[in-house]
Amino acid sequence: MTVDTSDSTAPASAATDLNGPVVLVAGARPNFMKVGPLQAELDRRGIHNVLVHTGQHYDPAMSDVFFDELGIRRPDHHLEVGSGSHAAQTARIMEAFEPVVIDEQPSWVVVPGDVNSTLAASLVAAKLGVRVAHLEAGLRSRDWDMPEEVNRVVTDRVSDLLLAPSFDAVDNLAAEGYPATAVALVGNIMADTLLTNLERARSRPILVENALTPGGYGLVTLHRPSNVDDPKTLAALLDVLGEIAQRLPLIWPVHPRVNSALAQIEVPSGLTLIEPVSYLDSIALQADAMVVLTDSGGVQEETTVLGVPCVTLRTTTERPITISHGTNQLVGTDPDAIRLAVHRALSGEIAGTRPDLWDGKTATRCVDAMLTYTAAQTPHH
Ligand code: UD1
């Protein structure tokens, strides 16, 4: 599908072929900043939309704070599923989401990202015959040990419209046989949120509160099961981080998942652990860091938008464009590789450019693509 990317000022309240609300699904922390711009764009065009929160993430610091900061409306439906094994969590979301879809009779269900909520909601909608749009389609790590890879591949397979963030994602989908009519290159929706909120983020007191100076610290974020669930693996990572922290103070907002393993490990000096931070504080900490060490998907992208060197402590990435175009280095967990990557970052060797269409206009292109797709399927066209 060719989406006209030049039109970022589509008229509000345009007549559409939509025969029901657009249901937006969000469940986990990395979803909220992706649905925010889409909700705003649908509102701007007068398109009825409904927000469903699955409750996969539920702590105020993992959920509510994003709604407050980003001005996202409170969810119309809260499924309150909470934590559980993959099967239990996915099944609970499916059971709770099905009656919502039956009741709302949506024209579209939009699922962002690659978390269990994404997979569960897409399966429910597909089986009820409701159109599914996957926002962030086509990313592939090709690492089947990552639960997110299973979620991505299956979600793409049951989706009608694949909203791809970058050309490599479009290539992946083409190689898997998806027809061009099902794929729209829309860009990265997180860039919409980041560019809109960067100035607000920069005015936050988070650096001062933690005695950090711009360009005088590194940021750590680790939460992936392969890095943090086993205390031995985590302890080995903390050893290297402790070494780096002798040269550069490191700050680490800790995801709740990491707490049980951390309780068994001594944290090296120079590495400051803090509670999970809000969206604006996360962007503020990234924007002024000398280097960011992470295993997150979204942080690889945010650092590329910000032009801040990123060292990714994983062996694969579903976001290779952050390496080929952006500021990312993929190093795994080998201490020497981490040291070398940090050295390169601190010596100013890492520079990047912002990928095409990571320009703050992705939500507009998403809605355009959904309307074009709907119109093409509507009998009078
Ligand atoms: C989930 C996503 C992951 C994403 C991450 C971002 C899946 C498979 N994983 O991982 O892709 O990068 O979110 O944060 O969907 N917990 C709390 N409070 C909360 C939420 C979770 O304490 O509000 C704790 C619970 O102990 C829970 C554990 O974190 O069991 C894991 O939560 P879960 O949502 O299953 O996976 P994440 O590791 O957060």
Side-chain angles (χ1 to χ4, degrees):
M1 174 178 298
T2 307
V3 177
D4 179 2
T5 56
S6 62
D7 179 13
S8 60
T9 54
S13 306
T16 72
D17 297 299
L18 300 177
N19 56 357
V22 174
V23 167
L24 305 173
V25 179
R29 183 168 65 174
N31 294 157
F32 305 128
M33 74 289 278
K34 294 173 192 163
V35 296
L38 210 46
Q39 183 184 68
E41 178 64 12
L42 290 164
D43 285 353
R44 192 181 71 77
R45 299 203 201 180
I47 296 172
H48 181 35
N49 62 93
V50 167
L51 179 59
V52 177
H53 190 325
T54 67
Q56 176 173 346
H57 286 174
Y58 42 85
D59 285 342
M62 298 291 287
S63 173
D64 297 4
V65 67
F66 293 82
F67 286 78
D68 296 342
E69 279 189 350
L70 298 175
I72 303 169
R73 285 197 309 279
R74 291 285 136 188
D76 301 278
H77 301 272
H78 203 305
L79 309 182
E80 296 182 349
V81 298
S83 301
S85 70
H86 285 268
Q89 190 175 56
T90 306
R92 281 207 297 269
I93 298 167
M94 289 182 72
E95 277 191 328
F97 187 53
E98 186 177 49
V100 173
V101 178
I102 291 170
D103 189 46
E104 292 284 356
Q105 294 288 308
S107 54
W108 284 95
V109 168
V110 183
V111 292
D114 57 16
V115 300
N116 286 345
S117 301
T118 314
L119 170 67
S122 66
L123 283 175
V124 168
K127 290 200 169 193
L128 288 172
V130 174
R131 279 186 214 102
V132 180
H134 183 201
L135 176 56
E136 207 181 81
L139 297 183
R140 299 287 183 266
S141 69
R142 300 190 175 82
D143 173 1
W144 287 98
D145 289 336
M146 280 183 84
E148 294 83 0
E149 183 70 357
V150 179
N151 293 346
R152 288 181 204 111
V153 170
V154 179
T155 299
D156 281 346
R157 189 65 192 83
V158 299
S159 293
D160 298 270
L161 178 59
L162 300 155
L163 300 167
S166 47
F167 70 86
D168 56 298
V170 173
D171 290 348
N172 289 337
L173 293 168
E176 290 175 24
Y178 288 93
T181 48
V183 179
L185 175 58
V186 293
N188 190 328
I189 195 120
M190 291 219 306
D192 289 25
T193 313
L194 203 170
L195 297 172
T196 304
N197 290 288
L198 186 54
E199 284 317 305
R200 281 176 72 212
R202 284 191 182 281
S203 65
R204 301 278 297 179
I206 181 93
L207 266 69
V208 174
E209 283 167 5
N210 288 283
L212 302 170
T213 50
Y217 67 94
L219 171 67
V220 176
T221 85
L222 293 174
H223 72 286
R224 216 150 274 291
S226 57
N227 281 337
V228 304
D229 282 4
D230 173 15
K232 273 201 199 119
T233 310
L234 183 58
L237 280 176
L238 288 197
D239 275 350
V240 192
L241 294 177
E243 245 179 65
I244 297 166
Q246 299 308 309
R247 279 193 287 159
L248 183 74
L250 296 178
I251 185 160
W252 178 7
V254 179
H255 184 292
R257 167 173 207 115
V258 193
N259 285 331
S260 61
L262 266 182
Q264 306 173 43
I265 301 171
E266 199 178 328
V267 176
S269 65
L271 176 59
T272 306
L273 271 46
I274 59 173
E275 294 293 311
V277 291
S278 71
Y279 177 78
L280 293 177
D281 286 346
S282 169
I283 296 301
L285 287 171
Q286 288 182 57
D288 279 329
M290 270 294 269
V291 61
V292 177
L293 296 113
T294 191
D295 61 10
S296 152
V299 172
Q300 294 172 54
E301 297 182 335
E302 287 168 339
T303 46
T304 274
V305 174
L306 293 165
V308 171
C310 180
V311 176
T312 297
L313 307 187
R314 288 169 46 185
T315 51
T316 59
T317 180
E318 62 288 343
R319 290 155 161 102
I321 196 164
T322 60
I323 302 170
S324 59
H325 290 58
T327 53
N328 193 13
Q329 303 177 77
L330 189 68
V331 299
T333 54
D334 173 59
D336 282 339
I338 298 171
R339 284 185 202 105
L340 179 64
V342 169
H343 174 75
R344 292 185 66 206
L346 300 189
S347 15
E349 283 175 43
I350 304 298
T353 53
R354 192 183 298 168
D356 281 349
L357 305 186
W358 293 26
D359 58 358
K361 296 174 186 164
T362 291
T364 299
R365 287 188 287 264
C366 289
V367 177
D368 286 346
M370 288 164 64
L371 294 181
T372 305
Y373 190 99
T374 317
Q377 283 196 326
T378 305
H380 64 81
H381 284 275

